[in-house]
Amino acid sequence: MFKIYGDIFSGNCYKIKLLSDLLEIKYEWHPVDILKGETRTDEFLQINPVGAIPVLVDTTGEIYTESNAILYFLGRGSEYWPETVELQTRVLQWMFFEQYNHEPNIAVARFIERYLGLPDERKEDYLSKQKGGNRALKIMNSALSGSKYLIGEYPSLADISLFAYTHVADEGGFDLSQFPAVQKWIKNIKRLPNFTGMEI
Ligand SMILES: N[C@@H](CCC(=O)N[C@@H](CS)C(=O)NCC(=O)O)C(=O)O
């Protein structure tokens, strides 16, 4: 059985759990508390020198890090990874967008609010993330106004990757009611067979 090291309320970790559940892949969940510094212990750094979760350990003991790379590892060959190189490239395009334009704004604002309780010394940082986060949501909303999922009429790894932090973006101060196509897409993903939320 695979081992997943993660924090279920972290979108980067939850996306691995969600895809595993959708595909009925069995795993053992190993909780890691980032606020207690558990990603920076010598023991953890042996597993991932970057000092971050999620981490996936496969049945042979091989270690994989970076959430979107792990999605690829688990999802290639499934209905969430399209067959043509053109569509595969579109999926990757959205997954890189997630890590560069979306997550650094939305996940960080949410971390400051939900995990740290929006302390005064982080308020400026928090507010600076709103513009970029709203811009990322606007781009998604525009794409989703023309199709049911990000790359067309079927869900892909791009949707799983971006769903993780988007569906809880309100916890970082983002108003999803401004993005109706994104809200509809969230509902569609929640209706996928075997969908599970941020609970373990
Ligand atoms: N690009 C990485 C980001 C991983 C990441 O930043 N993980 C956070 C939790 S969401 C973490 O482990 N932070 C703890 C730390 O930096 O010590 C991925 O997609 O997996």
Side-chain angles (χ1 to χ4, degrees), residues 79-91:
E79 65 270 35
Y80 291 93
W81 182 245
E83 281 178 16
T84 68
V85 74
E86 290 82 4
L87 287 176
Q88 289 171 358
T89 306
R90 295 269 171 254
V91 172

Side-chain angles (χ1 to χ4, degrees), residues 11-176:
N12 284 326
C13 301
Y14 163 66
K15 64 176 86 151
I16 309 305
K17 183 253 182 192
L18 174 58
L19 182 69
S20 301
D21 289 345
L22 290 170
L23 295 177
E24 299 185 276
I25 294 169
K26 297 245 180 299
Y27 55 85
E28 257 171 37
W29 186 266
H30 293 257
V32 176
D33 189 332
I34 50 178
L35 293 181
K36 287 190 183 148
E38 289 178 4
T39 46
R40 299 303 165 110
T41 62
D42 289 345
E43 195 190 351
F44 188 84
L45 291 171
Q46 296 282 322
I47 301 174
N48 181 10
V50 177
I53 45 174
V55 173
L56 182 124
V57 183
D58 81 3
T59 47
T60 68
E62 200 69 35
I63 293 170
Y64 297 97
T65 63
E66 287 298 324
S67 58
N68 288 340
I70 300 172
L71 286 186
Y72 172 74
F73 178 72
L74 296 173
R76 75 204 187 286
S78 79
E79 65 270 35
Y80 291 93
W81 182 245
E83 281 178 16
T84 68
V85 74
E86 290 82 4
L87 287 176
Q88 289 171 358
T89 306
R90 295 269 171 254
V91 172
L92 290 174
Q93 186 180 304
W94 281 113
M95 290 165 86
F96 284 105
F97 165 87
E98 192 261 353
Q99 284 287 298
Y100 190 78
N101 301 84
H102 185 282
E103 193 260 16
N105 292 301
I106 295 178
V108 174
R110 177 176 174 264
F111 178 78
I112 296 170
E113 184 173 341
R114 178 178 172 142
Y115 282 68
L116 304 182
L118 202 47
D120 283 346
E121 66 272 20
R122 295 298 300 271
K123 270 206 178 117
E124 201 182 322
D125 194 12
Y126 174 81
L127 292 173
S128 76
K129 302 292 174 192
Q130 300 298 318
K131 190 173 168 199
N134 278 310
R135 187 165 173 267
L137 291 168
K138 195 171 166 198
I139 291 165
M140 288 174 68
N141 198 66
S142 168
L144 290 165
S145 300
S147 63
K148 191 169 177 187
Y149 295 102
L150 286 165
I151 64 151
E153 294 312 298
Y154 296 97
S156 71
L157 297 185
D159 299 285
I160 306 307
S161 176
L162 276 150
F163 175 80
Y165 282 110
T166 304
H167 85 293
V168 289
D170 60 311
E171 295 175 1
F174 299 94
D175 176 10
L176 287 175

